[in-house]
Amino acid sequence: MELAFEGFARGVEPGRGGRAAEPVRRHSRPQGRCEGVFWRPFKPRDVARYLTAAERFERAGKKPGDRCGPLGTVAIEVLRELLRLVDYRTGRLDPALTTLMARTKRSKDAVVRALAALRRHGFVDWLRRYISTGNLGRAARHLLAQQR
């Protein structure tokens, strides 16, 4: 019985197989603890190299008769905007989808597909983060919603 109580104190609900009490998406990491390892400084002179590499990859992968290659023209535009938004000193880059949509003048679906293509081919990667709310389990959030 003590072990179950200790687990509950550490954020694990008793009787649920040791799963976290707060449901978060798979492969998520707590915000503020993991970014220093993920982000690296980015040199402004590398912007042209990245864009040229993406454009060459696009042309090399394009099959005759197809409209675009493996990335697509929207992905090139999104990559260009990402390279404009990056903080060169820290390498931090976390724009909202709405920001990318507004700057490229493309729909949400087009931007999401472009980001997926860029990630699939190794041009970008992202880190899923979460902020702990302090609520324990589904019932606590439900009660909080009823009090409002």
Side-chain angles (χ1 to χ4, degrees):
M1 189 68 159
E2 265 181 41
L3 293 175
F5 183 72
E6 288 176 6
F8 186 75
R10 280 184 272 127
V12 176
E13 275 185 56
R16 297 208 49 202
R19 289 179 28 197
E22 297 177 17
V24 295
R25 290 183 178 227
R26 186 173 300 170
H27 307 298
S28 296
R29 297 182 182 148
Q31 185 174 352
R33 295 190 203 164
C34 53
E35 292 90 351
V37 177
F38 191 74
W39 291 319
R40 287 169 280 164
F42 189 81
K43 297 177 183 136
R45 65 177 179 237
D46 289 342
V47 169
R49 282 187 25 215
Y50 275 84
L51 280 175
T52 304
E55 289 167 350
R56 285 183 181 170
F57 180 76
E58 175 72 10
R59 275 185 300 226
K62 184 181 174 298
K63 296 176 184 162
D66 283 350
R67 209 175 260 195
C68 56
L71 290 177
T73 54
V74 178
I76 301 292
E77 292 175 17
V78 169
L79 181 63
R80 185 174 288 119
E81 287 305 319
L82 289 173
L83 291 171
R84 288 181 184 151
L85 292 170
V86 69
D87 181 3
Y88 297 116
R89 189 176 53 80
T90 62
R92 184 177 177 135
L93 176 66
D94 47 1
L97 277 177
T98 53
T99 302
L100 291 173
M101 289 166 46
R103 291 181 74 129
T104 59
K105 297 191 177 24
R106 299 289 182 165
S107 68
K108 182 178 179 180
D109 183 55
V111 171
V112 168
R113 286 175 188 244
L115 287 171
L118 288 168
R119 186 178 194 188
R120 184 173 48 251
H121 295 292
F123 285 97
V124 297
D125 196 10
W126 52 78
L127 178 68
R128 186 180 298 275
R129 299 172 290 169
Y130 70 91
I131 300 172
S132 178
T133 61
N135 295 338
L136 293 175
R138 185 177 184 143
R141 284 192 300 275
H142 181 65
L143 291 175
L144 189 64
Q146 285 181 347
Q147 291 174 356
R148 289 183 185 168

